Amino acid sequence: MNVPQGARPFLDFVRLLRRYGFAVAPEQGTAFMAAVALLGPRDMEDIRQAAHATLAPAPDRRGEFETLFRSHFHGDVAAPVAGEDDEETAVKDSGGEREDRVELMRREEGGALSSAREQLSVRRFATAADDLDRFRRGLAAAMPARRSFRSRHARRRGTFDLRRSLRAIVAADGDLPRPLFRRRAVVPRKLLLLVDVSGSMKRHTEDYLAVAHAAVQALDRVEVFTLGTRLTRITPALAVADRGMALDRAAATVEDWDGGTRLGPTLLAFLSVPRFAAFARGAAVVLLSDALERGDPAELALATRRLSARAFRLSLATPLAGDPRYRPQTAALAAILPLLDDLVDGASIAALTRFILALGRTAPSATAVWRRAS
C-alpha cells in the first residue's frame, strides 16, 4: 500500500498500538489520519487529542497509551515492554510446533496464563493427527432429538391424515383403499460450540477446532464461535472438507488468539445479536473453556443464565477437569455451576468426543455430580 511520506508516522503509531495489544480497527486508523489532516495540526497536543478521540483507548489503559504516544512522537520516554507491568498478560503463540498431546488425565496449570487483556494475533495450525472419523460417523445418530412441527407420511400409527385421505377418495372415485396417517417428524437438535481461544487455553485450541471441524462436516445444523476478548463466527471457515485448509481459514478469521479472557462480556455480546442468539434456542450448547474469568463473575453468571434459558442442554467442557483433584471453586464457576447441565473433562479429543457423543443420553446435573465429588 502506497502511503504518503507525511502520513507514515501516524500509520506507524497505529501499528505500534496493535503490537501492544490495543484493539484498533482499520476504520479507526483512517479516522485518526483524517482528523489530523482536518486539524492542521498546529502542535502535538492537537495530534494527541485526535488520537484519543479516534483511537479510543480503554480507560484502564490510557496511561500506557500516553506512554506509547510520547515514545513514538516525542522520543523522550521508553515504550513499555509488553507484559512487563502486567503479570496477567497472556503468552502469545509463536506459531512453532505444537506441544505433544497427553490423552490421559493431566495436571493443568490453572490460571497461569489467564488474563483480561485483549491481544490481537494470528495462528497457524498443523493438521490434527487424531482420527476423528468415528466421531464424525456417529455424531448425527448420537445427537439429542426433538419432535418437529412438520409432519410426515406414516404407513401405520399416528394421526389420521384427513387432507390426503380426501385426495385419495377423489382420485379413487369415492373409494378409500386404506386409511392414511401422518405423524410429527423427529429431527436432531442443533449443536452450538463456543470455543475459548484465550491465552490460558492455547494448548487445547487446535484439538477443539479439530473436533468442531468434524462436527460441521457431520451435521447440517451446527454453529461454531470463538470467544476471547472478541466474538467470531467461524462456521463458514470450517465448512471446507479438508481439515488443514479449514483450520488455516479459521486461523485467518480469528484475531484474538491467545489474548485475555472475557467470557461474560463476550457471551453477552453473542446473546445481544438476535441471529446469533437464535442459534442457541433449543440447541445442545457446549462451552469449551477453563472458565477462568478475569472480569466480573456477575456478568458471566448473567450471560450463563440467559444462555441456559434458551438452550436445551448447556455444558462446560474444561481441560482443568482432567486433573482428579480439580474442584470448581472459583467465584465464576461457583456462580454458574447451578446453571450448567454438565461440567466435564475437556483435556483431550478422546474425552471431549466421548462426551459429545453422549449428549443424547440423560445425566445427573453438574451440581449433583460435583457435590458428590467434593
Side-chain angles (χ1 to χ4, degrees), residues 17-24 57-58 61 64-65 68 118 120:
L17 291 175
R18 288 175 179 154
R19 195 177 311 134
Y20 282 90
F22 286 82
V24 181
R61 301 195 68 188
E64 187 180 353
F65 184 89
L68 291 171
E118 178 167 60
L120 305 183

Side-chain angles (χ1 to χ4, degrees), residues 40-339:
R42 290 174 296 179
D43 54 34
M44 290 302 300
E45 180 61 19
D46 289 342
I47 297 177
R48 192 184 75 83
Q49 294 289 349
H52 273 275
T54 56
L55 303 178
D60 60 339
R61 301 195 68 188
R62 284 176 183 165
E64 187 180 353
F65 184 89
E66 288 287 346
T67 301
L68 291 171
F69 182 88
R70 293 190 62 81
S71 174
H72 183 74
F73 288 105
H74 295 271
D76 57 351
V77 179
V81 177
E84 184 178 73
D85 59 351
D86 186 356
E87 62 181 8
E88 297 178 350
T89 301
V91 178
K92 184 177 181 180
D93 182 29
S94 63
E97 294 183 2
R98 64 188 298 274
E99 299 171 76
D100 293 336
R101 298 186 192 86
V102 180
E103 293 295 335
L104 300 178
M105 289 185 176
R106 60 194 176 194
R107 181 178 178 184
E108 296 286 341
E109 298 297 332
L113 301 177
S114 180
S115 167
R117 180 71 56 83
E118 178 167 60
Q119 174 173 302
L120 305 183
S121 63
V122 295
R123 188 72 88 81
R124 295 292 182 269
F125 290 126
T127 302
D130 300 78
D131 185 7
L132 293 168
D133 289 342
R134 184 183 66 84
F135 171 70
R136 188 167 52 245
R137 289 195 303 267
L139 183 57
M143 284 299 295
R146 65 174 180 86
R147 293 181 67 194
S148 170
F149 289 103
R150 296 179 179 272
S151 60
R152 63 175 61 176
H153 168 62
R155 293 193 173 185
R156 61 189 65 174
R157 299 181 183 176
T159 305
F160 181 68
D161 191 341
L162 179 60
R163 181 178 299 177
R164 292 182 68 246
S165 297
L166 289 174
R167 284 204 213 97
I169 291 172
V170 172
D173 293 330
D175 294 330
L176 182 61
R178 67 174 185 271
L180 302 176
F181 298 96
R182 61 188 303 170
R183 62 181 173 211
R184 289 171 63 178
V186 176
V187 296
R189 290 186 177 273
K190 294 176 288 187
L191 177 63
L192 173 61
L193 300 177
L194 304 172
V195 183
D196 185 347
V197 294
S198 61
S200 60
M201 291 293 295
K202 70 174 185 176
R203 294 177 61 185
H204 306 279
T205 304
E206 183 178 350
D207 286 350
Y208 288 171
L209 291 185
V211 172
H213 173 259
V216 171
Q217 298 302 309
L219 300 175
D220 293 329
R221 306 178 70 200
V222 57
E223 288 290 338
V224 184
F225 288 79
T226 61
L227 312 173
T229 55
R230 298 185 174 192
L231 173 71
T232 309
R233 179 173 179 253
I234 60 170
T235 313
L238 298 179
V240 179
D242 182 83
R243 185 184 305 151
M245 187 179 298
L247 296 188
D248 286 343
R249 289 183 61 183
T253 303
V254 179
E255 295 180 332
D256 55 336
W257 297 112
D258 308 336
T261 307
R262 299 177 191 164
L263 289 179
T266 312
L267 287 174
L268 288 174
F270 170 83
L271 294 167
S272 68
V273 180
R275 184 168 65 93
F276 292 169
F279 294 148
R281 190 172 299 280
V285 181
V286 182
L287 175 60
L288 309 174
S289 172
D290 53 16
L292 295 176
E293 175 69 356
R294 303 311 295 259
D296 185 357
E299 280 191 298
L300 179 58
L302 175 62
T304 306
R305 185 176 299 107
R306 292 179 178 176
L307 191 58
S308 177
R310 286 172 170 79
F312 163 74
R313 184 168 178 171
L314 177 59
S315 309
L316 171 62
T318 171
L320 302 180
D323 187 337
R325 295 166 295 180
Y326 169 74
R327 295 295 180 269
Q329 296 175 339
T330 64
L333 277 171
I336 68 172
L337 187 62
L339 305 169

